[in-house]
Amino acid sequence: MAEVSARHGSWSFDGAALWITPGRRAHPLRRGLGVVSLPLPALAGVVFEPRRKGGTLRAHPRPGADPFTEVTGGHLSRSGDPYQLRVGKEKALVAEYLAETVTEEIAALAPGDATDPDRYLVEAPAAPVRADVGDASVVFDGAHVYLRPNWKAESAKRAAGPQRLALDEIAEVRWTSVASGGDGSLRFVPFGRTESVLPRYDPFAVHWSLWGTDYEGGTTAVVATAVTALLPHPTARGKAVEGGRTLPALPWRRARQEPEEA
């Protein structure tokens, strides 16, 4: 087993998966996400970027393999990104060895395992998950998303009051970080909704300011990941028609007919 520890966490590789464990001093987003296991087929590569005082380990999931990467889109600050680890000079050789070991194992994968997957391979955070940030709180209990505006919300959002959305009412989850240069938001887009409303006025969104203290959006990305993992995969937007109504083909619906292989 290859393993490297640093101030904000540790990475280890057991031959089948890369395990990322946040440290006690890690960013709240990393701690909220918890221990992440990246199976080999979910990885496009792991690299070590040397620097004068150490270097940075970076893991790159394959497109479509990881719901966290899917929903965050790479718009994370360095401190909040769980897929990079800064190491000191004394750990540089160990980090380089880990990256090389994982890379060799990825290269040895069977052709079918070395392609972009059509389902998520990385396990999402388990519900219930919650975030209190910006102008609202959001809770996902595994079946419904609950949003409650607070005193920071615009009057239109406060007037709309608390909201609840079932999974089969959600067409899309959109998450943006202030690291991308603007305000941050977590937005749940219901099916059939066509109007364009800014997140600060949207009752189905959480909004936080570029100039506030909630720079990375707290654990909103954790909530977004947990919900995204249960929505149709980006490369398999199949629909299931039930009672004349078109509903997304959720993983738990497909599993009854197509159980995953052991």
Side-chain angles (χ1 to χ4, degrees), residues 4-7 48 51-55 86-95:
V4 59
S5 298
R7 180 180 180 184
F48 176 68
R51 301 181 184 275
R52 185 171 62 88
K53 294 185 178 181
R86 291 289 296 271
V87 300
K89 192 173 182 179
E90 72 283 358
K91 299 293 181 67
L93 288 178
V94 179

Side-chain angles (χ1 to χ4, degrees), residues 75-121:
H75 300 300
L76 293 164
S77 67
R78 186 183 67 190
S79 61
D81 188 350
Y83 296 152
Q84 59 174 293
L85 182 70
R86 291 289 296 271
V87 300
K89 192 173 182 179
E90 72 283 358
K91 299 293 181 67
L93 288 178
V94 179
E96 186 175 10
Y97 170 74
L98 184 146
E100 291 177 350
T101 301
V102 178
T103 299
E104 290 173 358
E105 293 296 329
I106 292 173
L109 286 173
D113 291 332
T115 58
D116 295 343
D118 59 2
R119 63 186 180 90
Y120 292 124
L121 302 178

Side-chain angles (χ1 to χ4, degrees), residues 51-78:
R51 301 181 184 275
R52 185 171 62 88
K53 294 185 178 181
T56 302
L57 270 171
R58 295 185 190 274
H60 298 281
R62 294 186 188 278
D66 176 32
F68 178 80
T69 302
E70 182 68 29
V71 78
T72 58
H75 300 300
L76 293 164
S77 67
R78 186 183 67 190

Side-chain angles (χ1 to χ4, degrees), residues 12 40 185 188 206:
S12 61
L40 271 179
S185 65
F188 301 95
V206 180

Side-chain angles (χ1 to χ4, degrees), residues 1 23 28 65 124 183 207 215-216 242:
M1 175 182 286
D183 287 355
H207 170 268
Y215 183 79
E216 200 72 69
E242 299 181 2

Side-chain angles (χ1 to χ4, degrees), residues 111-169:
D113 291 332
T115 58
D116 295 343
D118 59 2
R119 63 186 180 90
Y120 292 124
L121 302 178
V122 181
E123 186 175 349
V129 287
R130 178 189 182 99
D132 292 281
V133 67
D135 66 358
S137 63
V138 57
V139 176
F140 176 55
D141 65 4
H144 296 85
V145 171
Y146 301 86
L147 298 110
R148 181 180 294 274
N150 59 34
W151 65 272
K152 298 179 183 178
E154 297 286 344
S155 57
K157 185 180 289 190
R158 293 200 308 271
Q163 303 293 323
R164 185 183 78 166
L165 284 170
L167 276 174
D168 58 13
E169 295 177 304

